[in-house]
Amino acid sequence: MRIDIATLFPEMCEAILSESIIGRARKKGSVEIHCHQIRDYTTDKHRRVDDIPYGGGMGMVMQADPIFNCYNAICEQLAARPHTIYMTPKGRVLTQQRAVELSQCDTSLLLLCGHYEGVDQRILDRIVDEEISIGDYVLTGGELPACVLTDAIARMCDGVLSSDECFRNESHFDGLLEHPHYTRPEVWQGEAVPPVLLSGHHKNIADWRLRMSLEETQKKRPDMYKLYMENAQKDK
Ligand code: 6GU
């Protein structure tokens, strides 16, 4: 999987995506992530990327041309058109299911990060296939959302985690929150690990984990619990 990110702050994305599991996966070559500086694709001597909005009002708007030049350079590198996603609070809110689908996308992905008050609508109309938000709140730019989306997708690509099991069991994957986890010591400040986990009885452990998952979901995310139960009914 290859992900390109077009932004005015490539160092911000590069810093986040060079650490930990994603950083290691990039070094190994399991995922390819390229951050592009949109400002490098300006043609005027002031390297201008934004201007005041037509119609007046607050803030600056990112201009079409630098973004279009950056996009075309990426297309040329890829020798293909990437699936292009604009990160915006107006987009569809990211879900685990959408992240799974994007991780299986057969073309590469391009994430476009907006800044200031927005981006000229004409470039969005020309190159964007999909708009994604990471939640119903407003951030100063698309960089953190692009890193969130990249992490969510990249961790499911082959060779990034030690095995599929690492994400097949976890919160949100099957519509439930994960069961609690315990590690050594067996007793910590008077609190013991649930005895079933020390029993070595795999069936009992699996049953306990599913029960805890259901309880956890019902308590913390009644909305997810309701959906899960409705789907379980349908599957019967
Ligand atoms: Cl994708 N961008 C910005 N600026 N704010 C957001 C967002 C994206 N998703 C949630 N808030």
Side-chain angles (χ1 to χ4, degrees):
M1 161 73 50
R2 171 167 169 161
I3 301 175
D4 288 82
I5 302 177
T7 164
L8 293 173
F9 302 95
E11 296 84 2
M12 195 172 160
C13 301
E14 199 57 66
I16 292 169
L17 300 170
S18 299
E19 297 285 334
S20 184
I21 294 170
I22 306 301
R24 243 176 289 138
R26 290 173 76 185
K27 283 199 194 112
K28 272 202 311 184
S30 304
V31 286
E32 218 182 304
I33 299 169
H34 300 270
C35 304
H36 306 266
Q37 170 56 274
I38 293 169
R39 200 179 293 280
D40 290 346
Y41 297 89
T42 53
T43 49
D44 72 312
K45 72 168 190 241
H46 297 109
R47 310 225 307 152
R48 169 159 216 168
V49 291
D50 61 337
D51 210 329
I52 54 173
Y54 279 116
M58 290 279 295
M60 301 294 271
V61 177
M62 284 172 72
Q63 294 171 292
D65 246 345
I67 295 172
F68 193 53
N69 295 339
C70 180
Y71 172 79
N72 283 329
I74 293 166
C75 290
E76 225 163 274
Q77 265 184 35
L78 296 169
R81 262 198 89 266
H83 180 72
T84 302
I85 301 171
Y86 177 44
M87 306 309 303
T88 166
K90 296 203 283 189
R92 257 211 305 176
V93 175
L94 180 63
T95 59
Q96 185 62 28
Q97 192 200 326
R98 190 64 194 135
V100 169
E101 288 161 6
L102 288 169
S103 76
Q104 293 162 354
C105 187
D106 47 18
T107 68
S108 73
L109 304 176
L110 168 59
L111 314 186
L112 172 62
C113 305
H115 234 268
Y116 311 115
E117 291 309 298
V119 172
D120 192 302
Q121 186 61 39
R122 292 166 295 183
I123 187 65
L124 301 179
D125 293 343
R126 183 70 65 88
I127 70 170
V128 170
D129 299 303
E130 176 177 7
E131 297 187 336
I132 291 182
S133 161
I134 61 162
D136 290 338
Y137 42 84
V138 179
L139 302 171
T140 54
E143 285 73 22
L144 293 172
C147 292
V148 166
L149 179 57
T150 300
D151 185 292
I153 293 169
R155 65 194 293 285
M156 289 185 286
C157 294
D158 285 344
V160 175
L161 300 183
S162 51
S163 89
D164 282 17
E165 249 184 83
C166 296
F167 57 82
R168 274 195 281 113
N169 291 333
E170 75 198 351
S171 294
H172 292 273
F173 198 82
D174 56 6
L176 287 177
L177 301 180
E178 227 180 334
H179 57 77
H181 300 273
Y182 297 87
T183 187
R184 284 185 282 202
E186 206 177 303
V187 180
W188 179 76
Q189 299 199 350
E191 306 276 350
V193 169
V196 62
L197 298 179
L198 309 174
S199 67
H201 191 300
H202 299 299
K203 171 80 169 63
N204 286 354
I205 292 171
D207 289 348
W208 178 87
R209 285 181 168 163
L210 177 60
R211 189 153 45 77
M212 295 306 286
S213 260
L214 287 163
E215 273 178 29
E216 197 89 320
T217 310
Q218 185 169 32
K219 196 163 54 186
K220 295 182 178 169
R221 289 293 302 271
D223 56 322
M224 283 174 62
Y225 184 76
K226 186 163 169 279
L227 258 181
Y228 182 86
M229 284 307 177
E230 283 166 11
N231 287 332
Q233 274 303 317
K234 272 184 230 148
D235 290 344
K236 262 197 209 150

